[in-house]
Amino acid sequence: MTILQSHKEVIDASQKEVFLFLSDFNNFKALLPPQVEGWESSDESCRFTVKGLATISLKIDKKTPYSKIVVISENRSPIDFSLTYMIQEKSEENCFFLIEFSGEMNSFMEMMVRKPLQNFINELAFKLKEYYQK
């Protein structure tokens, strides 16, 4: 099992506001890098292609108001994985945010995708921070 964590970011929004934003996949596109194309979403699931790599399908699996959201890959994704969004209150107007990636893959696959995955989850966390900067 491969487990990666993003940088811990301070978000200029309340814990509840960030949780509600991330609870709707229609908002997720604002966080994705430019290499993503073919975006499709509903409030509970999404599908997109990372240019030159793979098509990814995700769905929300569990929500713990207002601290955690677990997103899992669906059958169209090349590997089984989950993303856990952890949101922790810092103050009424700020929160900490961290993404944890957990996936099953062989050592060869892990060697190929570890760095791009780490960069991807770091970028998602940073884009959320940027989204809420005033």
Side-chain angles (χ1 to χ4, degrees), residues 4 6 9 20 26-27 29 38 40 45 52 82-84 87 92 94-95 99 107 110 119-120 134:
L4 303 170
S6 71
E9 298 287 354
L20 293 174
N26 293 310
N27 298 324
K29 187 175 183 185
E40 300 172 26
S45 66
S82 67
L83 295 172
T84 303
I87 311 158
E92 285 185 23
N94 300 74
C95 63
I99 301 172
S107 56
E110 181 178 347
N119 291 341
F120 179 70
K134 292 158 173 85

Side-chain angles (χ1 to χ4, degrees), residues 9-62:
E9 298 287 354
V10 176
I11 310 298
D12 291 334
S14 71
Q15 181 182 15
K16 182 178 180 179
E17 185 178 350
V18 170
F19 178 86
L20 293 174
F21 177 84
L22 294 171
S23 291
D24 183 347
F25 265 121
N26 293 310
N27 298 324
F28 194 68
K29 187 175 183 185
L31 308 179
L32 295 174
Q35 305 91 311
V36 169
E37 49 192 25
W39 174 260
E40 300 172 26
S41 65
S42 69
D43 57 340
E44 292 286 320
S45 66
C46 71
R47 182 174 181 217
F48 58 92
T49 301
V50 179
K51 194 184 295 184
L53 292 176
T55 298
I56 308 292
S57 296
L58 303 172
K59 72 175 183 176
I60 294 176
D61 185 47
K62 296 176 194 159

Side-chain angles (χ1 to χ4, degrees), residues 2 10 28 31 33 62 81 93 97 100 103 108 112 114 116 121-122 134:
T2 300
V10 176
F28 194 68
L31 308 179
K62 296 176 194 159
F81 67 92
E93 298 154 359
F97 178 71
E100 183 176 275
F108 179 72
M112 288 178 27
R114 185 176 193 82
I121 62 173
N122 283 338
K134 292 158 173 85

Side-chain angles (χ1 to χ4, degrees), residues 115-126:
K115 187 174 180 181
L117 281 172
Q118 185 68 60
N119 291 341
F120 179 70
I121 62 173
N122 283 338
E123 187 167 351
L124 285 177
F126 183 73

